[in-house]
Amino acid sequence: MAVEDPGWPRMHQVAAAAGLPSEPVAVDAEGLDVEALDRTDARAVLCAPAHQFPTGAVLSPARRRAVLAWAAQRSAVIVEDDYDAEFRYDRRPVGAPASLDRNLVVYLGSVSKTLHPGLRRGWMVPPPALRPPLLGALDTAAAGPSTLDQLTFARLAGTGGYDKHLRRVRKTYRARRDALVTALGSHAVIRDCGPGRGIAAGLHLLVPLPPDSTTT
């Protein structure tokens, strides 16, 4: 399995726990480097096209087409981690690669950023061919998700409460983001490095520091 580099270290741990060797693939301003991915032996890639962690890069339209072509040619699987796409501030929402080809992409979502990480709730939209084995794996898992929690979230989403919550907190988080960017701009060392990266979405941004800077 190919994993974005830099990326969340936990992804390598998850791959290792499943018995899959993981191979890092570089990320640049356009997101995952698909040419570098093609030079690996990977049969799956785990990526965050909408808001990469930690760089904040968005996978460009050309790269989206390229990674889908890579998966189709290699009979591979794209695991799309859409962990905070609900928070988009300065641009229109970015379409998920899963919407372009349902047969190549496993789409993952989560409430860890929208509600609370302690809820440990998420969802998966797999290709139709992978649905039966995934359901079988869930049935044999030691402990499944709480039925009460699932029903509660289903009611929240079905009644429109979840959408209402997202509209409210999106405004709150944008105000906090703006305040943070303003505060960072008051520091000469940071201001001289230019704006932070990934500030158009999500709950984090990346601030490059000059090579001669030190931290305390």
Side-chain angles (χ1 to χ4, degrees):
M1 172 175 281
V3 180
E4 293 174 324
D5 181 32
W8 190 26
R10 176 66 173 157
M11 299 307 184
H12 293 276
Q13 299 168 7
V14 170
L20 296 173
S22 59
E23 185 164 354
V25 176
V27 173
D28 59 23
E30 292 188 66
L32 182 75
D33 185 341
V34 184
E35 290 185 1
L37 172 64
D38 194 44
R39 294 193 291 269
T40 72
D41 295 325
R43 295 292 301 278
V45 59
L46 179 58
C47 57
H51 190 230
Q52 200 272 340
F53 181 84
T55 68
V58 176
L59 195 64
S60 68
R63 295 273 180 93
R64 288 167 186 260
R65 293 190 295 270
V67 74
L68 288 168
W70 168 85
Q73 181 179 20
R74 196 172 293 202
S75 297
V77 175
I78 301 166
V79 182
E80 179 178 0
D81 183 12
D82 204 5
Y83 65 96
D84 69 354
E86 295 85 357
F87 300 122
R88 184 77 39 189
Y89 311 119
D90 301 327
R91 58 182 297 173
R92 296 180 61 83
V94 178
S99 67
L100 302 177
D101 197 322
R102 287 285 309 281
N103 295 312
L104 298 175
V105 184
V106 176
Y107 180 82
L108 305 180
S110 170
V111 302
S112 64
K113 300 294 188 294
T114 58
L115 294 177
H116 195 281
L119 291 175
R120 302 185 67 81
R121 289 292 167 265
W123 51 88
M124 176 189 300
V125 183
L130 291 181
R131 183 178 173 84
L134 285 170
L135 288 174
L138 181 61
D139 287 340
T140 58
S146 164
T147 300
L148 180 60
D149 287 353
Q150 292 183 75
L151 292 174
T152 301
F153 180 69
R155 181 174 179 82
L156 181 66
T159 59
Y162 188 55
D163 287 338
K164 182 179 179 180
H165 164 75
L166 289 176
R167 288 194 296 271
R168 179 179 62 83
V169 297
R170 190 178 292 119
K171 294 179 181 178
T172 300
Y173 291 151
R174 174 165 187 166
R176 293 178 180 177
R177 189 284 309 264
D178 292 346
L180 175 60
V181 171
T182 299
L184 290 174
S186 66
H187 294 273
V189 172
I190 297 177
R191 185 175 60 248
D192 293 343
C193 294
R197 301 172 186 171
I199 62 175
L203 300 181
H204 80 274
L205 58 85
L206 181 67
V207 178
L209 297 177
D212 58 348
S213 65
T214 58
T215 59
T216 58

